[in-house]
Amino acid sequence: MKKIIPVIAIAAALCFTTSCGKKNTSDYSDVCQSASFDECFEMEQPMAMKSERAMSSNRMNDAASSSVERKLILNGSARIETKSLKGLSEKVEEWVKKYGGYISSSDSWESATSVTVRIPSKHFYEAMNAASGFGKIINHSINTNDVTDTYYDLETRIETKKILRDKLQGYLKQATNLKDMLEVERQLNEVQTELESIEGRMKRLSGQIDYSTITIEFFLPTGQTETGYDYPDYGEGFREFKLNVLYFLKALVFGIIYIIVYGIPLAALALLLFWLLFGKVGIIRKLFNKLKK
């Protein structure tokens, strides 16, 4: 069991695909009958890497062809003008239940409501078309994200991780000393952690593929409320006009006061300095004349 780690690597690599697994295992057994574990690992490693690359290439070719189901994430949105928001939530619930979906979130304001729903992807386009029954569609959009390659890549990684996990569990049962048991358990824990992480990603991706997201914003026509059109309040407008005039007069009065309090003294000081330096007294002017002489 001292050389169990190379054996683990060989076994995991050989089991990447079930289609070529039997052939590779047979060849591997014939070679290893007359070679040591290290020599067998060195001879089989290129074969294992080639099998892994072939498997990935086949998956990508299948995903690129029309022989496999495309994996798409569909998202839609729409802005709909409606005459009334009353009873809208009940209508939306009926619409969602009709297509086997559910309401993910909703927000309401005085004159608008936003709803996000999850609809089975097979009913996505039908549900989007039926949304026109809520009112006048102002705009709408549909976004399609092709995740076929990602989906099948995760599927392949899950398969290989499960094969490696099963092999490691078998080696753990065969381990005869503590060192080998600890090493196999360490690798088994790493593989199990990676497997759970990949399965989590696969679950989230599958959820986005199976259920499409539709976000709809409902709003009332401009100037309209639930009780009718909101006409301008002329009395309120006149009161606002008077307040604006008062604020303007107040600012004007304070401006004049500031000019009287601060502007006049500053102007008087400037005139005094000019009179002393350049005017009748002319200190600077007299000093300049003396220097000139």
Side-chain angles (χ1 to χ4, degrees), residues 68-95:
V68 298
E69 180 184 1
R70 306 301 298 180
K71 302 298 180 180
L72 305 176
I73 297 177
L74 301 175
N75 294 297
S77 63
R79 296 184 71 250
I80 299 178
E81 183 182 282
T82 181
K83 295 180 179 179
S84 176
L85 299 177
K86 291 181 179 180
L88 185 61
S89 58
E90 290 78 6
K91 294 180 181 179
V92 172
E93 289 180 2
E94 292 178 2
W95 169 65

Side-chain angles (χ1 to χ4, degrees), residues 70-76 124-125 141-147 212:
R70 306 301 298 180
K71 302 298 180 180
L72 305 176
I73 297 177
L74 301 175
N75 294 297
F124 173 77
Y125 291 102
S141 63
I142 295 176
N143 177 265
T144 303
N145 184 16
D146 191 339
V147 293
S212 302

Side-chain angles (χ1 to χ4, degrees), residues 239-277:
R239 286 191 292 271
E240 291 183 0
F241 173 75
K242 289 192 298 183
L243 290 175
N244 291 333
V245 172
L246 290 176
Y247 287 138
F248 171 76
L249 294 176
K250 180 180 177 181
L252 181 61
V253 171
F254 277 103
I256 295 173
I257 293 174
Y258 283 130
I259 292 174
I260 295 173
V261 174
Y262 298 103
I264 294 177
L266 290 176
L269 178 61
L271 291 174
L272 177 61
L273 291 175
F274 180 81
W275 181 70
L276 292 175
L277 299 177

Side-chain angles (χ1 to χ4, degrees), residues 209-220:
I209 294 172
D210 296 337
Y211 277 80
S212 302
T213 301
I214 300 177
T215 301
I216 301 180
E217 180 186 352
F218 302 96
F219 61 94
L220 296 174

Side-chain angles (χ1 to χ4, degrees), residues 46-47 51 57 73 137-138 144 155 217 235 241 254 268 286:
M47 183 185 300
S51 299
S57 178
I73 297 177
I137 296 181
I138 303 303
T144 303
E155 189 177 66
E217 180 186 352
F241 173 75
F254 277 103
K286 292 179 179 180

